[in-house]
Amino acid sequence: MDKNILNGKKHIHFIGIGGSGMYPLAQILHNKGYYLTGSDNNETETLQAVRDMGIPVMIGQRAENIEGADLIVHTAAIMADNPELIAAKASGVPVLERSDLLGIITSWYKNAICISGTHGKTTTTSMATQILYEAGIDLSAYIGGKLDCIHGSGVAGKSDIMTCESCEFVDHFLKLDPDIAVVLNVDEDHLDYFKNLENIIKSFHQFCLNANKAVIVNGDDANSMKAVEGVEGKEIITFGTSEKNDYYAKNIRQVNGLETHYDAYHKGEKLGEVVLHVAGVHNVLNSLAAIVSVMYVGVSFADAVKGIADFRGAKRRFEKFGVVNNITVCDDYAHHPTELAATLTAAKSMGFKNVWAVFQPFTFSRTYLLLDDFAKALSIADKVVLTDIMGSREKNTYNIFTRNLAEKIDGAIYFKQDETVEQTDERKYKNFDDVRDYVAEHAQPGDLVITLGCGDAYKISKSLLKVLEEKQKKEL
């Protein structure tokens, strides 16, 4: 990929500008002074945020949308028969896939902190970004979720430091140019592409080889340590809860529900106490990785602790939406069994009467290949309610349905779908009202309801709050 391809470009057009991976790129390039236009198929809050930056957005993807552009960017999710993409490729104008553009952008920085892992990427990147921002560093950032302190998911600063969420999906992270590569964990996921764990580890190994300066790796995770085997010519720094690591957390304790405290050590020396306003041991590890990465680029431990104490979570990461009649409603992006288990284990430790898991399975392949793992993770909750599977980019060639998952979970509730209808994104999977109404009817004071999944399950939480409020008014 020509890293100078943006030189001399003035008008960049984004096909699918509202996507979670496109929006932060639009923020960065807009802040760098490029003129942007974009298109998408559906109105969303993100599209409104794009318009608020002064970027023109067209609804519907048509050939004429690309007029005037001298560079065109699209996501991997855009199908080959998309009329706008067809026109782009026929125009003679350079066309980039989103991950190629992100790779070019990371090469602009001397201290690109690229944070990878099957789980925790968004939270850890957000934590590192918050620390750097509060330490007064004019950083750039690319995050898969929204962070309040930077007013979005991307920002372009003037320093040589960038934080970048680095996704392994179809090896996108191998297009990046990391100076500091962070590996949080390596687990089975995206098996429709990788086929097996061995191939996943190989990709993470290549990601570590690509690091220019250092690799910061979870020393407690066997698969992560396999990924760094044979990596030479750069500093290898380990973190975890075991004292064998360079940096480690001890005396982890849960305080006041969502708050977690621990003591951070470096090679036997106590650095100090860390206070987190997010729950779970998984977030202890995420925060330690963030602290180590920012200390590598010059931030003091004291500033790191101060910044992370102000972190209240990225959007859709155990995000509290509200409390009605002592029923707490939250949302979390967890969409893999390991993530679900971590989130639900943390939720169960908080003292709620019942924990409700309202889960939207995402992609047919992941649901089919990890079905038993999903059932085991969801069974941690006291109550389980399932929506239809959101197929995203896939067709249901696996003949997998929500009932197959529900049958493996004691007491799970789902609403029968018409399995003769093709499960496509156009169908929109809207049994959400049934799910919402069931939970509103059966949840009790003292319960926690948490919607789970990387699709649009969060909409259930938002509408549930309204229904609970209306129900409470009638009962008064």
Side-chain angles (χ1 to χ4, degrees):
M1 176 56 59
D2 180 7
K3 292 184 178 180
N4 298 312
I5 197 168
L6 271 75
N7 291 358
K9 301 297 186 292
K10 295 179 180 177
H11 175 184
I12 302 174
H13 180 75
F14 281 62
I15 306 175
I17 198 167
S20 61
M22 295 284 265
Y23 174 51
L25 287 177
Q27 287 184 288
I28 291 170
L29 292 177
H30 177 73
N31 288 345
K32 288 284 187 183
Y34 290 94
Y35 173 70
L36 304 185
T37 56
S39 67
D40 220 307
N41 282 324
N42 300 296
E43 288 287 358
T44 62
E45 291 178 8
T46 301
L47 277 194
Q48 188 53 51
V50 172
R51 288 194 183 98
D52 290 345
M53 289 191 288
I55 298 172
V57 177
M58 286 74 78
I59 294 298
Q61 290 172 339
R62 298 175 295 275
E64 58 265 28
N65 290 345
I66 69 167
E67 287 179 11
D70 48 20
L71 181 70
I72 298 164
V73 184
H74 67 95
T75 70
I78 301 294
M79 298 296 184
D81 60 355
N82 181 289
E84 203 163 316
L85 183 59
I86 291 171
K89 290 183 175 179
S91 68
V93 171
V95 178
L96 289 179
E97 199 275 318
R98 176 201 60 83
S99 57
D100 292 313
L101 177 59
L102 180 58
I104 292 167
I105 290 173
T106 57
S107 72
W108 295 347
Y109 299 87
K110 292 180 180 178
N111 286 294
I113 303 169
C114 294
I115 297 172
S116 75
T118 313
H119 322 292
K121 294 182 291 292
T122 299
T123 295
T124 307
T125 310
S126 298
M127 287 174 167
T129 301
Q130 177 111 21
I131 294 168
L132 291 163
Y133 176 84
E134 294 203 15
I137 292 169
D138 189 16
L139 81 156
S140 299
Y142 175 92
I143 311 173
K146 295 176 183 176
L147 182 63
D148 285 341
C149 72
I150 62 169
H151 310 295
S153 51
V155 67
K158 294 181 172 61
S159 76
D160 65 1
I161 296 174
M162 179 185 188
T163 56
C164 179
E165 180 173 338
S166 309
C167 185
E168 76 277 12
F169 175 65
V170 298
D171 282 330
H172 280 166
F173 66 165
L174 298 186
K175 297 178 179 181
L176 306 181
D177 190 5
D179 296 294
I180 300 98
V182 180
V183 181
L184 301 170
N185 43 65
V186 179
D187 201 352
E188 286 185 307
D189 199 9
H190 305 300
L191 292 174
D192 52 324
Y193 172 76
F194 287 111
K195 307 306 179 189
N196 56 51
L197 180 59
E198 182 183 357
N199 288 335
I200 298 172
I201 293 171
K202 284 180 182 176
S203 283
F204 275 90
H205 176 74
Q206 185 59 53
F207 176 71
C208 294
L209 287 174
N210 291 347
N212 298 315
K213 296 179 180 179
V215 177
I216 297 169
V217 59
N218 182 348
D220 293 342
D221 182 59
N223 292 333
S224 297
M225 292 308 291
K226 284 181 184 176
V228 296
E229 285 179 6
V231 174
E232 298 177 349
K234 50 216 76 184
E235 192 173 355
I236 307 294
I237 303 167
T238 58
F239 69 91
T241 57
S242 166
E243 294 185 13
K244 69 183 180 183
N245 294 298
D246 297 314
Y247 292 85
Y248 52 93
K250 291 180 67 175
N251 193 22
I252 301 166
R253 56 241 185 238
Q254 199 80 28
V255 181
N256 301 326
L258 284 175
E259 199 169 297
T260 307
H261 296 208
Y262 69 90
D263 298 324
Y265 285 78
H266 178 231
K267 296 184 176 178
E269 178 186 350
K270 184 177 176 179
L271 298 174
E273 184 183 44
V274 180
V275 176
L276 300 178
H277 292 282
V278 288
V281 175
H282 60 296
N283 277 320
V284 170
L285 293 173
N286 291 339
S287 68
L288 194 55
I291 289 168
V292 175
S293 65
V294 298
M295 287 177 67
Y296 188 87
V297 297
V299 174
S300 69
F301 177 77
D303 281 346
V305 168
K306 181 178 179 294
I308 213 152
D310 291 334
F311 178 73
R312 294 298 191 275
K315 298 294 184 185
R316 299 215 60 208
R317 270 66 182 181
F318 219 126
E319 183 180 3
K320 185 177 177 180
F321 280 4
V323 181
V324 179
N325 194 26
N326 201 27
I327 297 170
T328 302
V329 180
C330 295
D331 176 70
D332 194 273
Y333 195 73
H335 57 282
H336 181 282
T338 302
E339 296 164 353
L340 290 169
T343 298
L344 292 173
T345 298
K348 288 281 285 183
S349 73
M350 294 175 187
F352 290 98
K353 183 178 177 182
N354 289 297
V355 173
W356 289 72
V358 180
F359 178 55
Q360 180 189 43
F362 186 77
T363 74
F364 304 113
S365 60
R366 183 185 283 119
T367 307
Y368 175 79
L369 293 166
L370 301 175
L371 189 67
D372 289 340
D373 294 331
F374 274 117
K376 183 179 178 182
L378 288 164
S379 295
I380 294 168
D382 301 295
K383 310 281 186 180
V384 179
V385 185
L386 304 171
T387 78
D388 293 348
I389 299 169
M390 186 175 188
S392 184
R393 56 192 173 268
E394 297 180 344
K395 293 187 180 295
N396 191 6
T397 57
Y398 298 87
N399 197 34
I400 184 80
F401 299 95
T402 298
R403 64 174 168 80
N404 302 119
L405 179 56
E407 287 163 359
K408 290 179 174 286
I409 304 168
D410 287 345
I413 298 295
Y414 76 103
F415 294 88
K416 186 171 176 60
Q417 63 203 83
D418 183 354
E419 295 177 4
T420 64
V421 176
E422 185 180 0
Q423 304 293 290
T424 63
D425 272 346
E426 286 71 26
R427 182 170 173 251
K428 295 296 180 191
Y429 319 95
K430 295 306 179 199
N431 56 3
F432 281 8
D433 290 353
D434 294 330
V435 170
R436 176 203 63 203
D437 292 344
Y438 179 87
V439 176
E441 182 66 27
H442 293 87
Q444 300 295 315
D447 287 358
L448 166 67
V449 178
I450 182 163
T451 48
L452 299 153
C454 64
D456 57 354
Y458 66 90
K459 294 176 181 176
I460 299 173
S461 276
K462 291 189 173 181
S463 63
L464 174 63
L465 279 175
K466 293 178 182 177
V467 171
L468 289 174
E469 287 167 356
E470 291 168 4
K471 184 180 177 184
Q472 187 179 46
K473 286 176 185 175
K474 288 178 182 178
E475 291 172 353
L476 291 175

